[in-house]
Amino acid sequence: MENQNLLEKFQRYVDAENKIEAKDWMPDGYRKTLIRQMAQHAHSEVVGMLPEGNWISRAPSLRRKAILISKVQDEAGHGLYLYSACETLGVDRSTLIDELLCGKAKYSSIFNYPTLSWADIGAIGWLVDGAAIVNQVSLQRTSYGPYSRAMVRICKEESFHQRQGYEIMIALAKNGNAAQKKMAQEAFNRWWWPALMMFGPSDANSPNSAQNMAWKIKRHSNDELRQKFVDMTVPQAEYVGLTIPDKDLKWNEETGHYAFGEIDWTEFNEVVKGNGPCNKQRLQTRNAAHEKGTWVREAAMAYAQKQSERQKVSAA
Ligand code: 3HC
């Protein structure tokens, strides 16, 4: 009975658009689904550094190299905000990271595709960060306080990521020579459908959505956000002269939205299961980086230990 009263009180509090904080009572299921989603979000930010990191040494100019370095650094910071926000739910980040390294944890399907040309870096910034912005702007209103505040900070940086990507596509697709236009169109063809898959399965096949919407963790459904992204991105593609790789794409005057073709859910499920083009490579690289960074973690822990001993001595 007591638990039922607590659940009803919690739901009323969330329905009144209050933020849940770490110290508040929350249903075990609320905590569990938040750790699941926030951990995957954090993993996505960190693994997302890898496809773009490959192009830092190959950027076509110093200006582009500097922009890409700062973007990749931002993603690392987003991962850290999200691991810290996740730890407020009582889980240790080393546990989460171990689950990623051993292949148990999920991260966004989009990061398992290769970056074959410089135009892919433009397509990632424009489409992947563009899709992330649509999703994360909605998540700024999530009911869990630490997650919502992390999103506000991340969204500010994400818009720079999207703009620099779109600027690359303007340079190549709109102002480029024939070879550059071709490179931009090929990259767009490669990234368009995987970007739509980022929003998750269709609403009818989304097991977490109903409860997460009831708890106001998720404020819009997967299909709503996907549609918003398509409606926003098609005019941008047309402006730079790119052809959308979807013969069924059609503006529907009645609904005020673009109708688009069927997503290849077999591909999506295969990539999520670990059988995408780069899943194995991404995990190998992530494990190697973790291994190489052992000395940094040990030095930071030793320094923290020393500091706390010094504080104990000076407090005595
Ligand atoms: N890649 C991998 N797994 C995915 C996925 C994707 N694109 N979309 C959904 N899934 C998984 C879910 O995690 C869930 O599996 P689980 O129950 O084992 O965790 C299953 O597929 C069913 O999906 P649901 O729709 O039921 O799951 P959710 O309600 O969690 O919705 C989501 C999925 C919309 C991705 C939601 O988790 C979410 O909003 N997450 C936060 C945003 C995020 O993680 N974005 C990833 C990209 S981050 C990024 O782009 C960084 C930027 O800087 C570039």
Side-chain angles (χ1 to χ4, degrees), residues 36-37 40-42 44-45 71 75 78 106-111 124 128-129 132 135-136 139 147 154 158 161 197-201 205-209 212 218 222 268 272:
R36 172 193 66 84
Q37 174 167 331
Q40 288 169 12
H41 199 159
S44 302
E45 298 283 3
K71 177 189 190 297
E75 309 298 9
H78 296 176
K106 284 193 171 82
Y107 57 87
S108 188
S109 50
I110 192 74
F111 297 121
I124 288 178
V128 176
D129 290 77
N135 169 284
Q136 290 168 164
L139 273 173
Y147 196 19
I154 286 177
E158 218 60 278
H161 298 173
M197 295 175 198
M198 271 177 78
F199 292 95
N205 297 312
S206 167
N208 297 297
S209 280
N212 282 11
K218 193 180 248 188
N222 297 359
F268 171 74
V272 173

Side-chain angles (χ1 to χ4, degrees), residues 66-104:
I67 291 173
L68 185 55
I69 287 175
S70 74
K71 177 189 190 297
V72 171
Q73 274 175 331
D74 281 352
E75 309 298 9
H78 296 176
L80 295 184
Y81 305 149
L82 287 161
Y83 283 127
S84 306
C86 216
E87 285 185 314
T88 65
L89 289 159
V91 68
D92 189 280
R93 84 176 61 189
S94 54
T95 312
L96 302 176
I97 291 169
D98 288 348
E99 286 171 356
L100 172 67
L101 295 175
C102 71
K104 197 165 149 250

Side-chain angles (χ1 to χ4, degrees), residues 73-302:
Q73 274 175 331
D74 281 352
E75 309 298 9
H78 296 176
L80 295 184
Y81 305 149
L82 287 161
Y83 283 127
S84 306
C86 216
E87 285 185 314
T88 65
L89 289 159
V91 68
D92 189 280
R93 84 176 61 189
S94 54
T95 312
L96 302 176
I97 291 169
D98 288 348
E99 286 171 356
L100 172 67
L101 295 175
C102 71
K104 197 165 149 250
K106 284 193 171 82
Y107 57 87
S108 188
S109 50
I110 192 74
F111 297 121
N112 290 307
Y113 290 84
T115 44
L116 302 179
S117 76
W118 174 252
D120 288 68
I121 301 304
I124 288 178
W126 172 39
L127 299 174
V128 176
D129 290 77
I133 290 175
V134 171
N135 169 284
Q136 290 168 164
V137 163
S138 168
L139 273 173
Q140 288 180 130
R141 294 176 48 238
T142 192
S143 58
Y144 187 54
Y147 196 19
S148 157
R149 291 187 289 274
M151 284 299 104
V152 171
R153 170 94 188 252
I154 286 177
C155 284
K156 287 193 171 67
E157 294 172 342
E158 218 60 278
S159 25
F160 144 66
H161 298 173
Q162 194 264 0
R163 279 195 189 36
Q164 63 83 36
Y166 191 53
E167 192 201 25
I168 292 175
M169 297 311 263
I170 290 175
L172 296 174
K174 189 167 171 49
N175 304 333
N177 60 32
Q180 288 167 326
K181 288 180 191 298
K182 181 170 173 291
M183 185 168 73
Q185 183 64 55
E186 284 166 354
F188 186 44
N189 295 345
R190 281 196 292 273
W191 291 91
W192 173 253
W193 289 104
L196 298 194
M197 295 175 198
M198 271 177 78
F199 292 95
S202 62
D203 294 349
N205 297 312
S206 167
N208 297 297
S209 280
Q211 183 57 72
N212 282 11
M213 301 275 282
W215 278 332
K216 296 194 181 339
I217 292 171
K218 193 180 248 188
R219 303 309 304 255
H220 295 93
S221 78
N222 297 359
D223 287 336
E224 276 174 340
L225 293 180
R226 193 178 351 258
Q227 183 66 64
K228 189 170 171 164
F229 173 72
V230 170
D231 292 346
M232 185 180 93
T233 312
V234 167
Q236 292 171 353
E238 288 169 348
Y239 174 73
V240 295
L242 289 170
T243 310
I244 313 276
D246 175 3
K247 59 180 177 26
D248 299 323
L249 185 91
K250 199 165 167 316
W251 177 252
N252 181 324
E253 206 47 59
E254 241 169 76
T255 61
H257 294 294
Y258 284 96
F260 51 91
E262 183 57 20
I263 289 173
D264 179 348
W265 293 115
T266 313
E267 176 183 330
F268 171 74
N269 292 324
E270 279 307 301
V271 175
V272 173
K273 270 195 304 207
N275 305 322
C278 298
N279 294 59
K280 290 183 185 43
Q281 180 192 347
R282 297 290 182 246
L283 266 194
Q284 275 162 4
T285 313
R286 187 71 202 85
N287 272 284
H290 190 75
E291 191 49 37
K292 249 167 87 183
T294 307
W295 70 271
V296 177
R297 292 192 298 279
E298 284 169 355
M301 299 296 272

